[in-house]
């Protein structure tokens, strides 16, 4: 299904089309305001859009962050969404792979709070060395994960420092 999918960089010009994508993909969550804050903010982000037939069908954001102490450059993956009807067709995987390929030369690792079964296929593993910016429920501890790009360097440890949009505790809990 991903053969006719184009992955391109999304910008603030894509925000209106992203609105419907996020409403359809997450009808019970308010993620679109986070996306608008991230794309319109001053913190660097990698925003990728999957398009087929001229319509957006998937989107992912990788926010540039750091781990303190030491200001180690890492990225935070999320949100990731795929339009219902296009899910389970490889679009989400294509977006994640494209983002990881783009970031592997500039970031030490990528963090995510997500389903270990899904993100494990990209090499993500539970991360107990980097503390999330806000408390997460105990039952989500295995969902806090990272993937390192260089196995020859020591694992990153400390506290994840995120731009303002990510400092909302509601994003990190039920």
């Amino acid at each position: 299904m991903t053969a006719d999918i184009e992955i391109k960089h999304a910008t603030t010009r894509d925000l209106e089309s992203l609105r419907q994508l996020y409403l359809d993909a997450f009808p019970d969550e308010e993620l679109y305001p986070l996306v608008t804050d991230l794309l319109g903010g001053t913190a660097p982000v990698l925003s990728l859009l999957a398009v087929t037939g001229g319509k957006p069908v998937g989107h992912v954001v990788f926010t540039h962050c750091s781990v303190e102490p030491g200001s180690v450059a890492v990225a935070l993956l999320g949100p990731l969404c795929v339009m219902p009807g296009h899910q389970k067709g490889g679009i989400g995987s294509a977006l994640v792979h494209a983002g990881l390929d783009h970031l592997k030369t500039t970031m030490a690792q990528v963090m995510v709070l997500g389903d270990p079964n899904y993100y494990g296929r990209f090499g993500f593993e539970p991360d107990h060395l980097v503390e999330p910016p806000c408390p997460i429920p105990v039952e989500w501890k295995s969902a806090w994960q990272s993937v390192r790009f260089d196995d020859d360097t020591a694992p990153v440890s400390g506290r994840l420092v995120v731009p303002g949009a990510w400092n909302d505790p509601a994003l990190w809990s039920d």
Side-chain angles (χ1 to χ4, degrees):
M1 176 174 201
T2 59
D4 62 342
I5 300 297
E6 174 191 2
I7 305 289
K8 66 177 198 165
H9 289 269
T11 68
T12 54
R13 292 185 309 271
D14 298 301
L15 281 174
E16 193 52 43
S17 60
L18 289 175
R19 175 189 307 276
Q20 193 60 50
L21 176 63
Y22 276 88
L23 289 173
D24 290 344
F26 297 106
D28 299 328
E29 296 183 47
E30 292 287 332
L31 291 175
Y32 182 71
L34 172 64
V35 173
T36 60
D37 286 350
L38 293 172
L39 269 60
T42 58
V45 297
L46 173 62
S47 176
L48 299 175
L49 186 63
V51 178
T52 185
K55 295 185 177 185
V57 293
H59 181 250
V60 68
V61 179
F62 293 84
T63 305
H64 294 218
C65 304
S66 64
V67 175
E68 299 290 339
S71 298
V72 177
V74 299
L76 178 61
L77 189 167
L80 166 66
C81 79
V82 176
M83 181 71 78
H86 291 275
Q87 295 174 355
K88 300 191 185 305
I91 294 170
S93 292
L95 286 164
V96 172
H97 280 299
L100 294 176
D101 286 346
H102 183 85
L103 295 169
K104 66 184 175 187
T105 59
T106 58
M107 299 288 159
Q109 64 192 48
V110 174
M111 313 297 301
V112 70
L113 180 62
D115 180 359
N117 292 321
Y118 182 79
Y119 290 102
R121 61 181 137 163
F122 306 106
F124 284 87
E125 296 178 345
D127 192 311
H128 306 289
L129 299 175
V130 176
E131 180 184 339
C134 296
I136 60 174
V138 172
E139 61 270 18
W140 291 8
K141 291 295 182 189
S142 65
W144 181 240
Q145 306 161 80
S146 68
V147 62
R148 289 181 25 222
F149 292 122
D150 184 358
D151 290 335
D152 295 333
T153 61
V156 175
S157 65
R159 187 175 197 318
L160 183 66
V161 178
V162 295
W166 277 112
N167 282 311
D168 179 357
L171 296 169
W172 300 91
S173 63
D174 285 334

